[in-house]
């Protein structure tokens, strides 16, 4: 029996949240039976980089890995300006330790690097020297790819990383990890939204 936690994805939100980085991910999760809940440091509203105001559904200290299928972290200026967003990276550690996957894009990858979560996992980001500037120890595991999924050791959660220009590849990795689409439909989805291949639409419609 599927529990609500198996169909709930949590999206971290904070001031200067990079709007464009998770639009594909959250929209298509919602269209495929997932509930997307937003998580802030507190329940106080935040303003995205695009000027949108978001009222978080819950505060970070209310979030438990067992209530979630995935934690999504996006870029924001705060990742490179002090430790204000470090609690989200610490939460990501708790998720991975509990066997619940985490997906991080753009500046959130630097936050995970500072937390030591990329030292032993294959990962990517905007560019290798961006992460190297954090002083992390995982440079040898950096992969020059649009998006990377590391399944992790037995009992740990999978970790998805991507750079800021790859929201479609990021979404593809999320859908693959969660089993949102079968392999044929996932390929079609990517070709439609990344390559503008109109022929892929029929595959997605099941024809």
């Amino acid at each position: 029996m599927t529990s609500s936690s198996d169909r709930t994805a949590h999206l971290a939100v904070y001031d200067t949240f990079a709007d464009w980085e998770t639009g594909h991910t959250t929209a298509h999760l919602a269209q495929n039976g997932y509930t997307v809940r937003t998580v802030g440091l507190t329940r106080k509203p935040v303003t995205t980089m695009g000027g949108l105001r978001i009222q978080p559904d819950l505060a970070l200290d209310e979030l438990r890995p067992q209530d979630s299928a995935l934690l999504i972290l996006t870029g924001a200026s705060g990742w490179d300006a002090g430790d204000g967003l470090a609690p989200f990276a610490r939460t990501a550690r708790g998720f991975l330790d509990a066997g619940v996957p985490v997906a991080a894009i753009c500046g959130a990858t630097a936050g995970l690097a500072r937390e030591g979560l990329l030292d032993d996992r294959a990962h990517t980001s905007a560019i290798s020297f961006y992460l190297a500037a954090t002083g992390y120890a995982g440079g040898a595991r950096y992969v020059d790819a649009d998006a990377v999924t590391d399944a992790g050791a037995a009992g740990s959660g999978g970790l998805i990383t991507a750079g800021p220009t790859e929201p479609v590849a990021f979404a593809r990795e999320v859908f693959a990890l969660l089993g949102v689409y079968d392999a044929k439909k996932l390929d079609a989805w990517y070709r439609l939204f990344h390559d503008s291949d109109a022929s892929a639409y029929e595959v997605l419609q099941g024809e």
Side-chain angles (χ1 to χ4, degrees):
M1 184 176 182
T2 301
S3 68
S4 60
S5 63
D6 293 331
R7 307 295 290 182
T8 301
H10 288 91
L11 174 66
V13 295
Y14 20 72
D15 286 331
T16 71
F17 166 97
D19 310 62
W20 65 92
E21 292 176 347
T22 60
H24 291 87
T25 301
T26 55
H28 291 275
L29 285 177
Q31 289 174 22
N32 284 277
Y34 281 80
T35 297
V36 178
R37 302 194 72 198
T38 53
V39 184
L41 279 172
T42 68
R43 290 191 179 220
K44 181 180 177 180
V46 300
T47 303
T48 72
M49 198 171 290
L52 302 180
R53 183 180 171 89
I54 296 177
Q55 175 74 56
D57 294 314
L58 68 162
L60 192 59
D61 62 7
E62 300 174 275
L63 177 62
R64 304 184 306 166
Q66 60 265 40
D67 296 331
S68 186
L70 175 72
L71 174 62
I72 305 170
L73 302 171
T74 73
S77 59
W79 288 112
D80 298 316
D83 297 326
L85 298 183
F88 288 100
R90 291 193 291 271
T91 297
R93 177 180 291 281
F95 266 62
L96 294 174
D97 288 347
V100 182
V102 172
I105 185 170
C106 189
T109 61
L112 298 191
R114 293 185 184 95
E115 182 63 20
L117 297 178
L118 304 185
D119 290 352
D120 301 310
R121 290 174 176 262
H123 61 275
T124 193
S125 184
I127 197 165
S128 61
F129 58 75
Y130 170 63
L131 292 185
T134 68
Y136 83 133
R141 304 300 304 274
Y142 187 89
V143 180
D144 188 10
D146 294 344
V148 171
T149 297
D150 186 292
S156 66
L159 177 62
I160 295 167
T161 50
T165 61
E166 300 299 338
V168 179
F170 181 69
R172 177 192 60 194
E173 297 302 303
V174 169
F175 303 153
L177 186 65
L178 296 182
V180 175
Y181 298 115
D182 62 31
K184 184 178 180 181
K185 284 193 173 182
L186 183 62
D187 174 71
W189 183 91
Y190 186 74
R191 287 188 289 111
L192 178 63
F193 287 95
H194 187 268
D195 304 327
S196 299
D197 181 353
S199 68
Y201 181 77
E202 293 183 358
V203 179
L204 283 174
Q205 296 306 303
E207 300 178 4

